[in-house]
Amino acid sequence: MTSDNFETFNFNDSLQEGLDAMGFNKPTPIQKEAIPVILNGNDLIACAQTGTGKTAAFILPILHKIAEKGDNQFNTLIIAPTRELAIQIDQQIQGLAYFVGVSSIAIYGGGDGLAWEQQKKALEHGTEIVVATPGRLIALLAGGKMKLDTLEHLVLDEADRMLDMGFSDDILKIINYLPKNRQTVLFSATMPPKIRQFSRKIVNDPQEVSIAISKTAKGVKQMIYMVHDSQKENLLEHILTQKNYEAVIIFASTKDKVKSIFKTLKKKFNVEAFHSDLSQEEREKIMSNFKNKTLKILIGTDIISRGIDVEGIELVINYDTPSDPEDYVHRVGRTARADKKGEAITFVNQKDLHKLHKTQNLIGLEIPRMDLPEKMERGPEYSEPKARKSKQPSKGNLKKEGKHKKPRNARKHVQSNSNNTSKDTPKNEKPSTQNKEESQNPGKFRTRRNVTD
């Protein structure tokens, strides 16, 4: 028995039997770090991206606790930003909870009346775990449809995405309904200052676990094309005809662009568009067809960059360069999962070069540039990132500060060229050690996993 074996956690016998039956032997890095913290009852802030096994990292210790307690009361509330992620979490719970006799239900908006009736009945008959989106959950709480006095665990999954989607006020409103004596677990793919500030409002003396995410998987062959917007559709069609791909995801920046690409591709390819204008039934059908490979190509926005677990994605295409470098990591993370191979292609126009430079700096890699097909006209030129120029005070500013008063450190500046993120550093000051370390060591992405999201 080693530290790399699930048996070291001393899970409930039925839960361990289930893990053995499903062939799960070794915990992933985030599971090894997070599971003991949750088992000990501490609040937790964990940073780990989709694909590292984070879902099982909070599900397994909670299932163990519920099984050991042995009652059938409502115990755990899991909040997720999208209905797709809520459904996925619920499905994984059901797979693992089968062996310990624990039930769960996914609660989300956008479905038809029948789906809503089924959700209400499940709540009325009792369930130990509820996975919910914020909007639907608030409606339930406001209507008095949920009793929370027995709740012991609160899990916020994809916390950064929830804040990006504007759910921070909703989350705090939900917190007000919950018992203060509870264990709170917050998982986030990124950990910017706003997440830390937000977490202070909902966790109590938390422990922190972080699995670095700034690297893409080794199995991903990454490429970029320098291309004008007018060339993108032709290039996209050319790429899709070079190989008989079984599973492709195309990311676009807006819902309207998703629809436009779909309109063009549907004439030649087995493709569907995934966007918020579709009904819940339509979205579930599309995702089901994509998972079972009857649908080959899926087009969508960042709504499908996180929380959608589909095995065997061969190719990811960024039709538009992601604005946020972390979004690039998440999009590319759809392929080459579980040590498999995959390709990721990004279209870059002239005005998006700065986005590419930010992404390359984050992942610590200059992405290879590919030549456009011979029949296509030449695309825009690639250029290296420009070093920022120091902003010297103007004469007008000097006058405002006083005729004989010079601004502090208004001398010559020395430019730092660390990892293409040049920042002006006053001559008499030393660069921040923290920033230097962050730029030189953007983190390691760990690819070994067993129980994944």
Side-chain angles (χ1 to χ4, degrees):
M1 187 182 300
T2 69
S3 59
D4 286 336
N5 196 299
F6 275 115
E7 292 181 357
T8 59
F9 297 126
N10 294 317
F11 282 143
N12 173 270
D13 290 342
S14 296
L15 180 58
Q16 185 60 54
E17 287 176 14
L19 289 170
D20 293 340
M22 297 171 76
F24 297 140
N25 299 313
K26 295 182 179 180
T28 65
I30 187 60
Q31 291 162 7
K32 286 195 289 186
E33 297 287 340
I35 288 175
V37 177
I38 299 174
L39 287 175
N40 288 335
N42 299 101
D43 282 9
L44 173 68
I45 298 175
C47 183
Q49 77 181 91
T50 299
T52 57
K54 67 177 177 62
T55 307
F58 61 77
I59 287 174
L60 290 173
I62 288 175
L63 286 176
H64 164 80
K65 290 184 176 184
I66 295 174
E68 290 290 290
K69 191 173 182 180
D71 60 31
N72 300 113
Q73 293 181 313
F74 174 51
N75 178 280
T76 300
L77 173 63
I78 301 170
I79 305 177
T82 67
R83 64 192 81 172
E84 286 73 30
L85 181 55
I87 292 170
Q88 178 187 311
I89 293 172
D90 180 52
Q91 289 172 343
Q92 188 161 354
I93 292 173
Q94 290 180 21
L96 295 167
Y98 171 81
F99 299 91
V100 292
V102 173
S103 63
S104 66
I105 181 69
I107 304 293
Y108 49 86
D112 56 22
L114 179 60
W116 175 228
E117 287 301 319
Q118 291 174 340
Q119 293 173 12
K120 285 198 296 185
K121 285 183 179 178
L123 289 174
E124 291 168 359
H125 287 86
T127 183
E128 289 92 342
I129 303 174
V130 171
V131 188
T133 54
R136 177 61 81 188
L137 182 57
I138 286 178
L140 283 169
L141 294 173
K145 301 294 184 182
M146 290 182 66
K147 294 182 179 180
L148 303 174
D149 52 313
T150 59
L151 182 135
E152 296 183 2
H153 305 100
L154 170 67
V155 179
L156 300 183
D157 196 15
E158 300 282 14
D160 54 346
R161 179 59 68 184
M162 281 195 273
L163 264 62
D164 289 342
M165 295 172 68
F167 285 134
S168 57
D169 289 342
D170 289 343
I171 298 300
L172 295 177
K173 191 180 296 184
I174 291 167
I175 296 295
N176 290 331
Y177 283 93
L178 308 182
K180 293 188 182 299
N181 185 22
R182 65 174 189 274
Q183 183 181 19
T184 301
V185 174
L186 184 149
F187 269 81
S188 184
T190 60
M191 198 56 65
K194 64 179 181 180
I195 293 293
R196 293 193 177 279
Q197 185 177 2
F198 177 76
S199 67
R200 294 190 194 105
K201 302 176 182 179
I202 59 175
V203 295
N204 179 33
D205 191 22
Q207 293 191 25
E208 295 192 19
V209 169
S210 181
I211 302 299
I213 66 156
S214 297
K215 290 282 188 180
T216 47
K218 292 181 180 179
V220 183
K221 181 182 179 182
Q222 300 176 68
M223 298 162 276
I224 64 170
Y225 283 93
M226 294 301 302
V227 60
H228 297 295
D229 285 344
S230 59
Q231 299 172 300
K232 286 184 176 181
E233 285 191 357
N234 289 336
L235 177 59
L236 181 61
E237 290 190 37
H238 171 80
I239 292 170
L240 294 175
T241 56
Q242 297 308 296
K243 180 180 175 181
N244 185 24
Y245 291 102
E246 290 294 316
V248 178
I249 294 181
I250 301 169
F251 289 106
S253 57
T254 66
K255 177 176 62 178
D256 289 340
K257 197 168 288 188
V258 168
K259 294 179 180 179
S260 175
I261 298 170
F262 170 66
K263 187 176 180 180
T264 299
L265 294 184
K266 70 177 182 179
K267 303 169 186 176
K268 299 181 181 180
F269 302 96
N270 177 11
V271 60
E272 285 288 356
F274 192 91
H275 51 77
S276 59
D277 285 350
L278 300 174
S279 68
Q280 180 62 24
E281 183 179 359
E282 290 172 320
R283 293 167 75 166
E284 289 180 9
K285 182 178 180 181
I286 289 172
M287 194 54 62
S288 175
N289 290 339
F290 190 59
K291 286 183 177 181
N292 62 35
K293 301 298 189 293
T294 57
L295 171 64
K296 305 291 186 183
I297 304 171
L298 185 64
I299 313 167
T301 59
D302 279 318
I303 193 173
I304 53 174
S305 68
R306 303 195 197 191
I308 302 300
D309 187 25
V310 179
E311 295 295 330
I313 303 297
E314 300 171 282
L315 173 63
V316 168
I317 298 177
N318 293 310
Y319 192 85
D320 302 299
T321 309
S323 297
D324 187 338
E326 295 285 2
D327 286 335
Y328 177 87
V329 175
H330 285 289
R331 290 182 183 187
V332 171
R334 298 298 90 202
T335 187
R337 305 185 72 179
D339 297 328
K340 294 182 180 179
K341 303 292 183 181
E343 298 177 357
I345 296 173
T346 301
F347 295 170
V348 183
N349 61 24
Q350 192 69 47
K351 67 178 183 293
D352 285 341
L353 263 173
H354 69 286
K355 299 177 185 176
L356 174 65
H357 295 322
K358 285 165 57 180
T359 296
Q360 291 182 146
N361 183 55
L362 176 73
I363 65 176
L365 172 72
E366 184 171 334
I367 305 171
R369 298 185 292 278
M370 311 300 293
D371 293 330
L372 292 174
E374 292 183 2
K375 62 181 180 180
M376 294 184 66
E377 295 182 4
R378 190 171 181 175
E381 291 292 330
Y382 176 87
S383 61
E384 298 293 338
K386 295 180 180 179
R388 294 182 188 174
K389 294 181 180 180
S390 59
K391 293 184 178 180
Q392 296 288 359
S394 65
K395 292 182 178 179
N397 289 335
L398 287 174
K399 288 180 180 179
K400 290 178 182 178
E401 294 188 21
K403 189 173 181 179
H404 301 291
K405 187 177 180 181
K406 290 184 179 181
R408 190 177 182 182
N409 296 332
R411 300 181 179 179
K412 291 182 179 180
H413 285 60
V414 180
Q415 291 184 337
S416 165
N417 58 3
S418 173
N419 281 350
N420 297 330
T421 54
S422 300
K423 291 188 178 181
D424 299 327
T425 305
K427 191 173 183 179
N428 60 343
E429 291 182 14
K430 294 182 179 180
S432 165
T433 302
Q434 181 179 350
N435 292 339
K436 184 177 180 182
E437 290 176 351
E438 289 176 356
S439 63
Q440 291 178 349
N441 183 20
K444 295 181 180 179
F445 179 85
R446 311 196 184 182
T447 56
R448 187 186 71 180
R449 37 193 169 280
N450 289 280
V451 187
T452 56
D453 300 85

